[in-house]
Amino acid sequence: KVYMIAAGVIAGVYLLGIVVLFLGVKERDDPYALNSDRAIPFCKGLALTVKHGPYVKLTASFLLISTAVQLEQGNFVLFCTHAAGLRNHFQYLVVTILVSAAVSVPFWQKFLQRFGRKCAACGISWMIPFAVMLVTIPNLILAYFVAFVSGLSIAASLLLPWSMLPDVVDNFRLQNPHGKGHETIFYSSYVFFTKMSAGIGLGISAAGLEFTGYKPGICRQSDDVILTLKLLIGAVPAILILLGLFILLFYPITEESRKETKLALEELR
């Protein structure tokens, strides 16, 4: 019954979002397009986007980071239940993560506006040392602290790519001044890659747990399963996040180049 109520609430939220989008958002033509510009066909546009250096680096970086976040989120409950002895607290830990992530979004928005996108990306790595500490020293107080810090990192990982993607679109617009309609391709393909990261995270988790003999419903899992959960919470996300941040180091759009692109587009407009 509770699941049915939750499903109804979620469906209502979806419908409310659709109504707000339909009634509150007006579509506008590309302000930088000339009358002679033509819309880019989807296949050609997709080929151009996957060859665009800033977009490839941004997507590859956050594909790894999103996979790490999915692993952290997807296995947190199992880790608390079977590996950390926090069976009676995991629901409160999950609420702590969600509240922390929601409350910290305005902070990250101010942070990236003042210090830049790349500096804000370092906040994603905050969860790494605390998650490793929780794996090695399972403690209730530490678990709540890890949940709070993980919420901060998750908020940064969700906000940053959507604040950097418009810069990539503007950069592409400046390099391809006689085409229009490419924004849809950029955003839809990025959404596809984020969904793919969720699938990769679920696949890694399911394959690893099945390989080590995870059995749903039993109170005590084997030592191999516990070790796998520790790796899925600590080591694997840490490696993926570090790889993603390393790729982001080569992201070519800086705050200076972003301002130059903005001025150039204003002149074009």
Side-chain angles (χ1 to χ4, degrees):
K1 185 177 180 180
V2 172
Y3 273 111
M4 294 296 292
I5 294 173
V9 171
I10 293 171
V13 172
Y14 269 113
L15 291 174
L16 178 62
I18 292 170
V19 170
V20 171
L21 176 66
F22 183 78
L23 298 179
V25 178
K26 294 182 179 180
E27 294 187 62
R28 296 180 179 177
D29 292 332
D30 186 351
Y32 306 111
L34 304 175
N35 292 331
S36 59
D37 290 348
R38 294 182 178 181
I40 301 175
F42 176 78
C43 293
K44 181 181 178 181
L46 186 62
L48 289 173
T49 56
V50 297
K51 293 178 182 177
H52 191 58
Y55 181 70
V56 172
K57 293 180 176 66
L58 177 69
T59 303
S61 173
F62 280 97
L63 177 64
L64 293 169
I65 292 172
S66 298
T67 303
V69 172
Q70 292 294 332
L71 285 172
E72 194 89 20
Q73 290 178 324
N75 296 286
F76 189 74
V77 173
L78 290 176
F79 173 79
C80 291
T81 303
H82 299 293
L86 301 172
R87 184 189 307 270
N88 297 324
H89 295 272
F90 74 83
Q91 61 267 45
Y92 305 113
L93 293 170
V94 171
V95 170
T96 302
I97 293 174
L98 295 175
V99 172
S100 173
V103 171
S104 61
V105 168
F107 163 76
W108 285 118
Q109 179 66 21
K110 293 291 184 182
F111 188 94
L112 66 87
Q113 287 178 346
R114 182 167 184 177
F115 299 103
R117 273 82 168 152
K118 285 189 176 182
C119 290
C122 297
I124 301 172
S125 63
W126 290 358
M127 73 167 70
I128 295 176
F130 298 105
V132 173
M133 288 173 60
L134 180 61
V135 168
T136 54
I137 312 170
N139 179 275
L140 180 59
I141 296 176
L142 180 61
Y144 276 100
F145 190 68
V146 169
F148 175 76
V149 175
S150 296
L152 296 178
S153 298
I154 290 170
S157 69
L158 293 175
L159 178 65
L160 273 172
W162 294 108
S163 64
M164 298 168 77
L165 196 55
D167 300 335
V168 173
V169 174
D170 288 344
N171 182 268
F172 181 87
R173 184 73 179 87
L174 195 60
Q175 294 183 16
N176 299 271
H178 297 293
K180 62 179 181 179
H182 54 276
E183 299 91 346
T184 306
I185 300 172
F186 273 103
Y187 282 92
S188 59
S189 56
Y190 182 78
V191 170
F192 169 77
F193 285 119
T194 57
K195 298 301 181 184
M196 189 171 69
S197 71
I200 293 172
L202 288 173
I204 293 173
S205 301
L209 292 173
E210 184 178 0
F211 180 76
T212 52
Y214 174 76
K215 297 178 180 179
I218 65 174
C219 295
R220 182 174 177 80
Q221 300 289 341
S222 66
D223 293 338
D224 290 339
V225 172
I226 293 175
L227 177 61
T228 302
L229 288 171
K230 290 181 177 180
L231 291 174
L232 292 173
I233 287 291
V236 179
I239 293 171
L240 293 175
I241 289 173
L242 292 175
L243 284 175
L245 293 177
F246 177 75
I247 295 174
L248 203 60
L249 290 175
F250 301 96
Y251 178 69
I253 300 177
T254 61
E255 291 300 308
E256 291 76 15
S257 65
R258 187 176 67 84
K259 293 177 182 178
E260 292 173 0
T261 300
K262 184 178 180 180
L263 289 174
L265 287 176
E266 287 298 330
E267 291 178 2
L268 178 65
R269 186 179 185 180

